[in-house]
């Protein structure tokens, strides 16, 4: 209800950025799946800090340890427990925040909601939590790879620099070939320059990620209150800094006419266009599922800002520590991980829907 | 999992457009709330077909009957069962769809997923289901009215006609003064003209709804996987025809810099700007919660379209029956209803979070 | 959480004995199951009041109406809504209870918990609710009949009259041949005499029901917190008046030695004895699942009893209305219904547990 | 659904007896509770192996490490992650079981259900899992101690040796004064002798535990499908080796007449007798909640038994390793822990039930 995602395949997580570590339990993972734990670690490495000059320079190894649920290289059907130890805690970086509320952070709301707050590194509101999701998502990817589902996310904009090509014209194998994770080299270069510039200003910048899931079988998604796109939206809106979600035609679709927007069937059941984004009535129709996620700029900036402390006194704050100038490059594997978790969950759920 | 929304306050629904009726169970509604059932019916009337010249001309009284959970004008804490009978079923309107898949509808996906489909009126995929949500939402509104929460949704665009004023400049009491439910009279007139024109073309048009929830106490929302905005997003994406959701700065926020986007605190804990949309770290901060929902154009158009039937043969379809040229005006109370359900649920949930 | 049973196959109910009616939503029922609605009504008739001289003489037709989820004789995979109207409400029978707490009833606890109570006929605490369960259970029976699961419950004791034969020696087809629903004619006669005698005294009597589920596939049940027997126990303990549950060797097993209790395997994977009750480690092993449920005597007796009213004043109460002298005969179909719901749910759940 | 217990306060666990360790996530624990972690460890020590001559002689330190959710001695409202490392794994003790199914164990059912099984030490079916419950339960105890709820379980029988005194005549402070955990010294001695004798025979013996929860506020428990006693029953039936559960009058109540069984009210709302076991209509009435749990004898015996292997061949097995001759003494803290978890959960849930 609070720290769990999913219906059948359910991830439950814990951890603050400055305790012993973070981790989680993956419940409902089916038995008999061969798992490649090196591939899990590789996904984690895609997310980790310090990987390039345009992300935070913190160094955290982020090594995952599996405690259970995997035996002789296969899942056993029992819950999979895992832990990622915290190893690079610089609590002193945060001492100045003990009772000062960082603007557009969760400090104020956590304090008011709970009456107590682990202020070190943002505590539970830290994006460090997303490492847990990447671990679980990496296993989910392996599960749905067995039915050939393929998920590719990439940076589609940084600030006002947009990669305008339709995703069909992209070579997803190029996504990892640059540090901003945009498969279009030309756009990538502009984005990287933009992020470096913003970093120099001590500022941060927003962006968007597009995700494309392919080879989805027809029938995933539960109509009414568990529509496939609604579950994806809920998952994406759970990522720190996300402000919007659209799938298929999205907000553009709201300007269109029905005669333009309808996806006309071909004889084989596929459609000529795919403004539906691969989902009709909440259920996948076999076409590509694609969506776009908006990330606001990171709230911690290296500039002076007015704020208040827990006593309600006005004060000033100036970002310290090592923060991302743009969250989007490191969020690409997070978007993929959550997509994999949702799709794997709906794949399992769908097994129960027909006699 | 399939037909339920909510954590503590949970709505579970049933019903197709052409069976005996639709209805639902509201579970977890607290005891002791005085309820005004006329007000519930009034909300239902805001959603009902045939209410104006720009919506479907079907006539359905949509009268709700409460079976349980309310005694002598108060809720008793037991589950509230309700039914809305189907009274204006014209199954013959749909006979031509028996095995023809309407483009961008749920016919194809339901058939493939379940192997069987009640084709009359769209069956379970019909937006008639949303009447259930309006009933439950109307009760939820009364529950949270006890802590003064106020919810106002309105039409903010139809096709390319946008109402550009910030919501702070609007008088929400004017929303019901025109049939398109836009509180700005000038924009409303343009929108109505646009819908009438599109209707004449036998076509349909998309649009957006903006919703503003005010007087929200600080602390609603559960971090990690039940963030307030993620739950609102999941609810909105459950509405038929919705393609996108953004809150606060939304997709615009993705173009901004941190120094522009951060909401600076005032001494009283409120913020100077509210690009956060009233939610920080998934938890309400006491500022207005506002968001925008994108609706695609209605798929049923009064024009010839190529399509296929269940045998995979190419055929043609031409919309019959009585359909909305634009779904947005009737969706305004639906957006409000789901917002009320989410907020009421999180209000109850929050009671358990602190000793 | 409050009015729902099940994981995948979930029943959610509503209704008081004196509102418009009772009913429920069956969610997660798979598509494509041919359903015999007359068979559902027949199960309901087994539970209904007034069916014999040893049960309450209230006359309620208890006719179920299905609103949705079934189309042309088959389930469609959408939620199944149903209603049983209340037709024989004699609220005046209960006027004397308006503010008097009946001993060992739920009047006092409901009032204290909710601060309000529908006192007519016990309101939500009335065993009338169990009619909902019988409807849902009857459909679940039809679902699992497709894999040949067979469920037979019967009265195994009334007061101190015990039917001592092992269930293997019984002919379950005889259960319906007498009004107490004990397949052993000799014991049945004694039980009936005992109930008639107790009724004459204006008193009531307890009893036990034994249930045997056969042809259960190996593998149903989820270890740790959803063990098959724990889910059955939870369901049985939900029935009004139930005080105990034991499966397999039960409380007798607690007196035994391991060398006596262990079920020795035969070469075919079946076991020589079945003290395990068909469940090992929470998972069915293919042997018969059997258990016993204890019912206390009905609390409403036709004798004077001291009690208090809502003002805390001492007063007297004397049962009026038409009540069962022994709840057990009418509870037999209820035990079967809940067993069917649990087994059907676990059957569906098990489909997700292995790749 | 598989490895979680609770509604609001939810424990999700993982771990096999021979992986890196076991652990869990406690979600929904309210913020602001002062926690005594030494007291948690003490509860764990009550459960640990090797503590006396009548339990298994395995030596496992069972030290719990908390990863999150506790800050400066108080809970923060975020999920509490914990781990108990496995330190005394003697996998070789189990090598002989690789593909041999131990009678009345979970080997056969796990293998058939999942197609794969971690055979070392019983894997996930090992009672080692219950250490997780004791950790979570110890924290739950501290939460409900804030409203003075007091929980005391004790051994009430071993084999055919019953402690016959009513619990009201016992001094619960004596429970820990002997190794069998029976507060009646005379019975305790007999029980200990019995267990020693059975151990000498290479056999095992069953028993029962009685649990009494006191100072429960009126109103805990959710009628219909989350009755207080049904949730307690479900929890108890989740413990390894449990075969039965009865509360209040239990199976004895099934022999009684209503005139004997009804609990007559006193003017203060308490009742003269308490055959209801503190629960009426599924809701606590303020009287003591008490119940009894039946444990079968441990299945691993130091004697030759016929069995089969995974190829379906007949073979023989002879228990090795270090096992409990009677599970009951070590299960006392487990019963208390689960009781605390259920009561804490219902306490939180009840906060949402009335406006």
């Amino acid at each position: 209800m609070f720290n769990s995602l999913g219906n059948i395949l359910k991830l439950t997580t814990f951890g603050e950025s400055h305790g012993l570590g973070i981790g989680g339990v993956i419940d409902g993972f089916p038995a008999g799946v061969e798992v490649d734990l090196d591939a899990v670690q590789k996904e984690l490495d895609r997310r980790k800090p310090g990987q390039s000059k345009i992300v935070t320079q913190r160094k955290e190894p982020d090594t995952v340890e599996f405690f259970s649920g995997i035996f002789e290289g296969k899942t056993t059907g029992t819950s999979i427990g895992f832990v990622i130890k915290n190893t690079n805690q610089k609590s002193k970086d945060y001492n100045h925040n003990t009772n000062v509320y960082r603007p557009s952070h969760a400090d104020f709301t956590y304090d008011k909601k709970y009456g107590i707050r682990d202020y070190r590194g943002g505590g539970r509101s830290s994006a460090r939590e997303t490492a847990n999701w990447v671990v679980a998502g990496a296993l989910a990817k392996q599960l749905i790879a067995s039915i050939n589902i393929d998920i590719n996310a990439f940076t589609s904009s940084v600030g006002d620099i947009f990669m305008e090509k339709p995703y069909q014209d992209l070579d997803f194998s190029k996504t990892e070939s640059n540090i901003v994770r945009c498969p279009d080299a030309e756009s990538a270069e502009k984005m990287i320059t933009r992020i470096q510039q913003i970093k120099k200003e001590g500022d941060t910048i927003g962006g968007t990620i597009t995700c494309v899931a392919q080879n989805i079988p027809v029938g995933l998604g539960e109509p009414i209150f568990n529509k496939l796109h609604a579950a994806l939206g809920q998952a994406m809106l759970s990522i720190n800094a996300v402000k919007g979600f659209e799938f298929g035609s999205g907000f553009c679709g709201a300007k269109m006419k029905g005669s333009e927007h309808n996806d006309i069937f071909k004889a084989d059941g596929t459609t000529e266009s795919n403004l539906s984004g691969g989902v009709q009535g909440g259920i996948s129709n076999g076409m590509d599922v694609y969506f776009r996620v908006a990330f606001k700029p990171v709230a911690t900036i290296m500039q002076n800002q007015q704020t208040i402390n827990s006593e309600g006194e006005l004060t000033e704050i100036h970002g310290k520590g090592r923060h991302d100038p743009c969250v989007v490059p490191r969020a690409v594997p997070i978007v993929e991980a959550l997509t994999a978790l949702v799709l794997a969950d709906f794949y399992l759920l769908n097994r129960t829907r027909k006699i």
Side-chain angles (χ1 to χ4, degrees), chain A residues 147-202:
Chain A
I147 52 164
N148 298 316
I149 291 179
D150 200 27
I151 298 168
N152 286 285
F154 55 87
T155 300
S156 44
S157 75
V158 168
D160 51 10
I161 299 168
F162 282 76
M163 195 280 301
E164 306 277 10
K165 291 185 187 164
Y167 74 81
Q168 292 86 347
D169 296 350
L170 300 173
D171 176 357
F172 294 142
S173 72
K174 305 281 190 219
T175 301
E176 292 300 309
S177 67
N178 61 65
I179 57 179
V180 79
R181 295 203 164 91
C182 174
D184 179 57
E186 198 181 340
S187 303
E189 204 171 324
K190 285 185 208 164
M191 290 170 177
I192 293 166
T193 306
R194 184 81 181 100
I195 294 174
Q196 288 180 299
Q197 170 193 359
I198 216 80
K199 190 182 165 189
K200 236 175 266 169
E201 296 172 18

Side-chain angles (χ1 to χ4, degrees), chain A residues 124-141:
Chain A
R124 185 74 177 132
S125 74
S126 162
R128 180 153 177 71
E129 158 72 7
T130 58
N132 286 328
W133 312 351
V134 170
V135 169
L139 290 175
K141 268 189 187 179

Side-chain angles (χ1 to χ4, degrees), chain A residues 292-306:
Chain A
R292 211 161 64 96
V293 187
F295 291 80
K296 69 165 191 172
V298 171
T300 300
I301 57 176
M302 303 298 129
Q303 301 180 358
N304 282 332
Q305 293 176 92
Q306 177 194 292

